[in-house]
Amino acid sequence: MLAKTVRIVPQARAGIVERFGKYKGTLPAGLNIVVPFIDKVRYLIDLREQVVSFPPQPVITEDNLVVSIDTVIYFQVTDPVAATYEIANYIQAIEQLTMTTLRNIVGGMDLEETLTSRDSINTGLRGVLDEATGKWGIRVNRVELKGIDPPPSIKDAMEKQMRADRDKRALILSAEGQRQSAILTAEGNKQSQILNAEGDRESQILRAQADREAAILRAQGEGQAIQTVFQAIHDGQPDQSLLAYQYLQMMPKIAEGSANKVWVIPSEITKAMEGLGSSIHEIAGIPKDATPRKRVDMGPTEPQLPRGSDDAETSATDKAVQQAIAEAEIAASPGKLRPTTDSSDPEAPAGQ
């Protein structure tokens, strides 16, 4: 009698008491007293949140593909009386309701949307279950899709597509990298060529300026040399005899060389010889007053006479020789002054 009178209900549990088969009351957690043989604790309802995993169920998508969806339900009993008397098996009822609702939701989506819309499916499924199970004294807290498994052929096709997309992205990234590398290389080559061109231009400009200055200085030097020679020639007043003498001096140089087997004497040689002879014998060709405008000091031109001879005949002979040498030098260089001789010499020609 005592054992049937005292009933202990665990924490987070609720006891449904019936009297003669009719609902009498709900026992809370702890020590409770019931009337023996009259009141009976029919059910102990768990008030904690429960997790129920349902096996995978086949679902047809909008594009007529069959996928297997595995769901997990998180629910809690809020009204033990309703959960006991409003429905016979609320776990089975929740499972069947989840399947039907899931087919309705996924049936309006294609495969791609089904695989990428887990949150929207969970939200829609939870709203329908919470509304339907409210009268059963049950509150659905969360609904999760544990797995969505398409058919093996679809998996292979998806893997191939995914692999193709990854290969395409890899090729795109590789092409972009090569393009960036080519652009940077081209820019580097461009900058290098620009710098090389600028360096070549500056070097050519500096070289041209140096060549111009050198040419100007060379031209100035040549001009000054020509002007000096021209002025010296005009100051010396050369005549035909000097030109003939210079022509005769150039004759041996013309004949030089190993290839000159035969040397032809030009016809002008006779005229040169006539001019030279006339200059020596004072027949023609020498001006009487060949006085240079500007005398150039060429050093002593008169030969040194030997001293210490007392023979008068030797002295006269030496004077004659000196006179002949002086006349030859005058013929060779008409621009120079003719040497003056002793006025006491009876053989001295007039005008000397």
Side-chain angles (χ1 to χ4, degrees), residues 33-315:
I33 303 300
V34 296
V35 178
F37 305 105
I38 297 177
D39 297 336
K40 182 179 180 180
V41 178
R42 177 70 63 177
Y43 303 102
L44 284 177
I45 305 300
D46 193 350
L47 301 180
R48 297 173 297 179
E49 185 174 2
Q50 302 181 35
V51 180
V52 178
S53 177
F54 300 124
Q57 299 295 326
V59 180
I60 301 176
T61 61
E62 186 178 8
D63 50 357
N64 298 324
L65 293 176
V66 180
V67 294
S68 297
I69 300 178
D70 188 5
T71 57
V72 178
I73 304 298
Y74 297 84
F75 68 94
Q76 184 178 8
V77 177
T78 58
D79 189 357
V81 178
T84 303
Y85 296 105
E86 294 293 335
I87 189 169
N89 190 348
Y90 57 84
I91 299 295
Q92 185 178 2
I94 292 175
E95 180 181 1
Q96 296 299 323
L97 184 60
T98 301
M99 292 179 185
T100 55
T101 306
L102 191 61
R103 287 190 177 95
N104 293 331
I105 295 175
V106 176
M109 299 180 180
D110 56 4
L111 180 61
E112 296 292 336
E113 188 177 1
T114 302
L115 295 176
T116 58
S117 302
R118 289 175 177 264
D119 292 338
S120 60
I121 294 175
N122 293 336
T123 302
L125 189 59
R126 178 180 178 277
V128 174
L129 291 177
D130 193 15
E131 182 180 0
T133 58
K135 62 181 180 178
W136 299 339
I138 297 173
R139 183 181 63 196
V140 177
N141 296 327
R142 297 184 63 184
V143 179
E144 296 290 340
L145 299 181
K146 190 168 60 174
I148 300 176
D149 296 329
S153 59
I154 301 301
K155 287 184 178 180
D156 295 337
M158 292 175 62
E159 289 179 358
K160 292 179 180 179
Q161 182 180 2
M162 188 180 302
R163 191 180 300 110
D165 292 338
R166 291 179 179 177
D167 294 339
K168 181 180 73 174
R169 288 197 298 267
L171 292 176
I172 291 173
L173 293 177
S174 178
E176 290 180 353
Q178 293 177 359
R179 184 187 68 176
Q180 292 294 332
S181 176
I183 291 173
L184 294 177
T185 303
E187 289 180 354
N189 294 331
K190 176 183 175 182
Q191 294 294 331
S192 176
Q193 291 178 0
I194 290 173
L195 294 177
N196 291 332
E198 290 180 354
D200 294 339
R201 183 187 66 181
E202 292 179 359
S203 64
Q204 290 179 2
I205 290 173
L206 294 177
R207 193 179 299 109
Q209 291 178 355
D211 294 340
R212 183 186 66 181
E213 294 177 358
I216 291 173
L217 294 177
R218 193 180 300 110
Q220 290 178 355
E222 292 178 357
Q224 292 178 1
I226 293 172
Q227 184 177 5
T228 303
V229 173
F230 185 77
Q231 184 66 33
I233 291 173
H234 279 272
D235 291 343
Q237 295 181 353
D239 57 358
Q240 186 65 27
S241 300
L242 177 59
L243 298 177
Y245 181 73
Q246 294 292 332
Y247 186 78
L248 291 176
Q249 287 182 343
M250 290 300 297
M251 293 299 293
K253 295 183 179 180
I254 295 175
E256 291 179 356
S258 60
N260 295 331
K261 302 300 182 182
V262 179
W263 183 50
V264 179
I265 300 176
S267 61
E268 288 82 0
I269 191 62
T270 58
K271 295 181 181 180
M273 294 298 293
E274 291 177 358
L276 184 59
S278 63
S279 64
I280 294 176
H281 295 288
E282 298 181 354
I283 296 175
I286 299 178
K288 296 298 182 179
D289 297 331
T291 304
R293 298 178 184 176
K294 182 178 180 182
R295 182 176 178 82
V296 181
D297 188 7
M298 300 299 293
T301 58
E302 297 181 358
Q304 299 293 330
L305 298 177
R307 296 180 181 180
S309 178
D310 297 331
D311 191 0
E313 184 178 359
T314 304
S315 299

